[in-house]
Amino acid sequence: MTRTITALLTLLSLTVWADDRIPIISDTDFVMPPHDDSMALMLALQSPELEILGITTVAGNESLERATSDVLRMLEIANQPGIPVHVGADMPLVHARSDFAVRNYGKWYSDEPPPMPPGGFAKKKAETESAVSFIVRTVMANPGEVTILAIGPLTNIAQAIRAEPKFAASVKQLVIMGGAVALLPEGAGNITPNAEFNFWVDPEAAYVTLRSGIPIELSPLNVSRKSALTLDWYQKLVAVDNPLTALLEETLGKRFEDEPDRSWFMYDQIAVASLIDPSLVTSEALYVDVNIDHGVSYGVSVGGREIWPGAEGAAKMNVQYDLDWPRFIEMFIDRVQRPVP
Ligand SMILES: [Ca+2]
């Protein structure tokens, strides 16, 4: 009898667990490790709190073709080939490729074919439906249910907002890695003196997205800079062998061989972690807007406690600025080390 009740309770708790999963779409300028998008996806794939409905790719860190090729391969390595991948924007809404962009960051929207990912090109193919169509269709079929994890330039998200007037009101939440807020500590930029890379790649898309009315959790550089993936943590991470840690050894491991004293910031990984366990980060509600004047502050995000002249219409959002680093990195290591299905 007791055994029956225990079995029933186990069954019930499993049912509750399945219903409690947070359905997400991950929008990503994906590149294999040591890039942050791939480690963020590892964390999401290995976390039972999240249900990944689909992955959409966007140009950013590297070209759209590379983002798509690498993420398809990553899903094979993680043995999750059933998750659909939809191809998104190959360039920002407005601003053109510049010598500055090419010189300083990657080969975004280049015409070069993508390099072969670790283990070879994936057999898995991307879906024929576009990223924007998939995002809009999935959100509108489940109004108020879907969280979007946006960890690249916001081009696809802005296009979705513009494609369907009821879209913004139908998204449950948007978790964005992007921006840098000077009002809070560690708020300098990382691509221009004050602009963060994702917002700088597509400032107009960031402007449209932040002003859309979608509830936003913003994970800017302020909180990224509270992380420090050092050789010691890396060695703990790869101490357990599975296909994900093997990939990290092959990629990030080589970088640590070359630069053993280097410490890596974790960006997109924190955005994912904050969705799984919001107590890992400290946030303040601020109005945040993005500069879209084509001058020295192009793409800069500005946060304020009150609306200021020029920011009329800006939205208030949760802005992360501090991180419980030990608890975060221990969770990250635990999740990545779990058996791959
Ligand atoms: Ca990213």
Side-chain angles (χ1 to χ4, degrees), residues 235-255:
Q235 286 170 341
K236 287 192 178 85
L237 176 60
V238 298
V240 171
D241 189 40
N242 72 18
L244 302 180
T245 58
L247 175 64
L248 288 170
E249 281 193 287
E250 185 181 343
T251 50
L252 183 57
K254 280 186 189 144
R255 302 295 292 271

Side-chain angles (χ1 to χ4, degrees), residues 22-39:
I22 303 168
I24 68 166
I25 295 170
S26 181
D27 188 70
T28 172
D29 55 338
F30 193 92
V31 190
M32 282 289 182
H35 273 283
D36 55 334
D37 291 76
S38 48
M39 288 190 261

Side-chain angles (χ1 to χ4, degrees), residues 27-30 36-37 61 150-153 177 197-198 267-268:
D27 188 70
T28 172
D29 55 338
F30 193 92
D36 55 334
D37 291 76
N61 282 317
I151 53 177
M177 190 284 130
F197 178 71
N198 284 345
Y267 304 93
D268 299 346

Side-chain angles (χ1 to χ4, degrees), residues 42-64:
M42 287 182 189
L43 176 59
L45 288 168
Q46 296 282 93
S47 292
E49 295 88 349
L50 306 180
E51 179 185 11
I52 304 176
L53 304 176
I55 294 170
T56 51
T57 55
V58 63
N61 282 317
E62 296 281 344
S63 69
L64 178 70

Side-chain angles (χ1 to χ4, degrees), residues 132-153:
V132 172
S133 171
F134 171 76
I135 293 169
V136 171
R137 179 174 60 80
T138 306
V139 166
M140 297 314 292
N142 307 277
E145 299 290 329
V146 179
T147 294
I148 300 174
L149 176 72
I151 53 177

